[in-house]
Structure formats: structure tokens, C-alpha cells
Amino acid sequence: MTLKKTRLRTQAELDACMAARQRPVRNTFDGMYPLHQDMELSDEQVRIVLDYLQEVNFHLPGAAPHEFLVVRWARYTGFQFMQEDLEAYAIGLRCTHPGMEDQHTFIRMSWGQLMGDPDAARLPVNEPVLASDMMTLARYRDTRTGPSKTGVDAYGDGPVPGTDFDLKLLNGALDDVIAQHQAGKGREINSWWNPALNWGVALAGRYPRLKYFELKGRLDEKTLAALHAFEARAANAETALQALGLASPASVAESALKQAEKAEGGTFSRKHRIRNP
């Protein structure tokens, strides 16, 4: 039985399904001592969570507060002390409303609440965001809970399948870089890291692919126009890229095409090799 293939209707069904899975292990850095640990919720604590959902009217649009199952493994989030209260836990919830069984969310509660303390601190109630909304690629999907087409079917038609998605990722990453620069936050790590990482990944993987197929004459006119439009946008954003310490497409393309030429000519060799001692 798997969570994806089975519509779980009762708390007992969810408990049995989760019991067959390994509990996640949280990695902590040396010198990092969290105030609390992840924990398994008892029946009484599950009831505390369900009662709290009713109390604060926590629900997904189209569903009701009582239409949730509780994931018993509560995750401590207070170690993210710059974003979360030190007492904060995140409790996973799975919707049971017909047609919404694939929508998963969570609610924030304090350690004291889960311990049954009537005077425990109440954290601000979070929005019922879906777990799928938190995924990096969520904004590029055509449904809220994931892409409607996956695998080979996800790439579409055209001379080189997937180039439309390549360009979506590149333009989205560039949007984030420009927004970071315009916000004036510079390289402030808590806001800079994600746009910098997404830009680097897209530029290292998606962009060289497009430039290679452009060189080989395999891109149609529509894709070529979209690629050149992206490059023009990136050129106009050169000031932002430099200020944030990020690579520009021109240098990446030049290096990638040289590497491709060596590989095709049989002269390419990996810089790092594992040798048997």
C-alpha cells in the first residue's frame, strides 16, 4: 500500500501506512543543539491537533476543518530560529474531502500545546499552504498538486522536446535575480541564496543545452526568438548579476560550447578521475 495509490479515509489507515515507512532523520551541524526533537504523536496529541483545527477554523478552500487526517510524526521547526518560534512544530495534515485527497498541508503548533498545557503559547496560524506549493518547480506546473503530464509526455513536441520548459526555468530564475537586486537586499544570505542557486542551476544545465542545439541548427524560429529574448533580458540585467556575484550567460555559453566541441572531437577528458590505488 502506498500513499500515492491509496485514498486514505481514516486515521487508522494513515497510521498503518506511515508505520511501514522509516522515520525521517534530521541532519544537524556540529554545535547545533535544537531545543526539542521531532516526535511521534500519541492518540491524545492527535486529538489535540484535531480540536485545534476546529478552534481556529483551519481548512483548505472547498473543505472543512474536520476533513483532515494527522500525520503522527511531528517535525520540530524551531531550529530555524530566524524564521520560526523556538517552540514551533509542524504537523502534517492530509485532506479527506472527495476529490482533494492528494492535497497535503500542515499547521504550526507549539511544544506546549502538543504537551496539553492549557496556558501554552499560541503561534500565529499559518495559511493552509499545500506541500506541493513549497516545491521549487511549483510555479511552472499546470495544476496545483503537480504537473498533469510526467515522464516522456511532459516534454511536448517540436524539433527538440523540452526547450519550452528550459526557457521557462531560465526566465523564472532571471525574474528572481532581478527582484532580489531591486529589493536592495544584495547578498543577504537568507534572501539571496535561493535566487542565486536557482540561477546557477538553470544556467549550468538548461542554457548550455539550448546553445548547443542552436549551434547545430535544431531550434525552430519560435524557440530561437525566445532564446534571444532571454539573452537580451540577461544582458540588460548585467548590473544585477554583477552586484549579486552571479555568472552571465555569455561566459557560460562560451565555456559549454568549447567543452561540447572537445567531447565530439574525442579530445575531451574529465578533470577528475577515480583511480584504483
Side-chain angles (χ1 to χ4, degrees):
M1 181 169 67
T2 65
L3 291 178
K4 282 189 175 181
K5 295 181 180 179
T6 305
R7 298 299 187 191
L8 303 172
R9 295 290 184 183
T10 68
Q11 187 66 47
E13 289 177 347
L14 177 59
D15 292 344
C17 193
M18 297 300 293
R21 297 183 166 209
Q22 277 191 320
R23 292 292 182 258
V25 177
R26 186 181 302 286
N27 294 322
T28 56
F29 298 101
D30 291 339
M32 177 178 168
Y33 302 103
L35 184 63
H36 300 295
Q37 300 288 341
D38 297 349
M39 63 178 169
E40 187 131 11
L41 301 181
S42 65
D43 290 343
E44 181 182 355
Q45 288 172 319
V46 169
R47 174 47 53 192
I48 289 173
V49 174
L50 292 173
D51 289 345
Y52 185 60
L53 298 179
Q54 298 274 7
E55 178 186 335
V56 299
N57 193 28
F58 189 88
H59 63 280
L60 290 168
H66 68 273
E67 294 180 300
F68 282 116
L69 304 177
V70 176
V71 178
R72 286 184 183 265
W73 192 248
R75 302 285 275 171
Y76 176 62
T77 59
F79 68 92
Q80 302 177 31
F81 60 91
M82 297 189 72
Q83 298 174 330
E84 290 285 354
D85 188 282
L86 284 174
E87 296 284 337
Y89 273 84
I91 297 93
L93 305 170
R94 298 183 183 272
C95 190
T96 60
H97 187 85
M100 298 174 63
E101 295 91 345
D102 60 347
Q103 298 193 21
H104 307 155
T105 185
F106 73 97
I107 191 166
R108 297 165 69 249
M109 296 180 69
S110 71
W111 182 85
Q113 283 180 281
L114 294 174
M115 294 298 106
D117 180 359
D119 299 321
R122 299 294 182 94
L123 305 180
V125 179
N126 57 285
E127 293 294 327
V129 62
L130 296 191
S132 57
D133 288 343
M134 306 305 290
M135 299 296 180
T136 302
L137 300 182
R139 59 178 168 170
Y140 303 109
R141 293 170 172 170
D142 54 356
T143 73
R144 193 177 180 193
T145 55
S148 57
K149 295 182 178 180
T150 58
V152 176
D153 296 335
Y155 291 99
D157 301 321
V160 181
T163 53
D164 56 340
F165 193 64
D166 293 340
L167 286 160
K168 281 184 182 179
L169 287 178
L170 286 164
N171 279 295
L174 183 57
D175 289 340
D176 293 344
V177 167
I178 294 172
Q180 174 73 10
H181 180 64
Q182 290 177 343
K185 295 180 179 180
R187 303 187 198 183
E188 197 279 314
I189 191 65
N190 288 315
S191 62
W192 169 84
W193 178 257
N194 281 343
L197 179 63
N198 292 339
W199 175 254
V201 170
L203 208 61
R206 302 284 177 166
Y207 185 60
R209 178 175 183 264
L210 289 168
K211 295 303 289 182
Y212 176 78
F213 288 125
E214 178 189 27
L215 179 67
K216 298 299 179 181
R218 293 180 55 184
L219 300 183
D220 57 25
E221 291 184 5
K222 179 181 177 182
T223 305
L224 272 175
L227 174 59
H228 294 159
F230 161 75
E231 291 173 327
R233 290 187 65 216
N236 290 334
E238 186 64 29
T239 300
L241 295 173
Q242 291 180 358
L244 298 177
L246 304 178
S248 64
S251 60
V252 171
E254 181 181 0
S255 175
L257 292 178
K258 285 181 179 179
Q259 191 177 48
E261 183 181 359
K262 289 181 179 180
E264 290 182 334
T267 59
F268 175 78
S269 61
R270 295 184 180 87
K271 291 184 179 180
H272 302 286
R273 295 187 178 188
I274 299 175
R275 299 183 184 276
N276 187 335

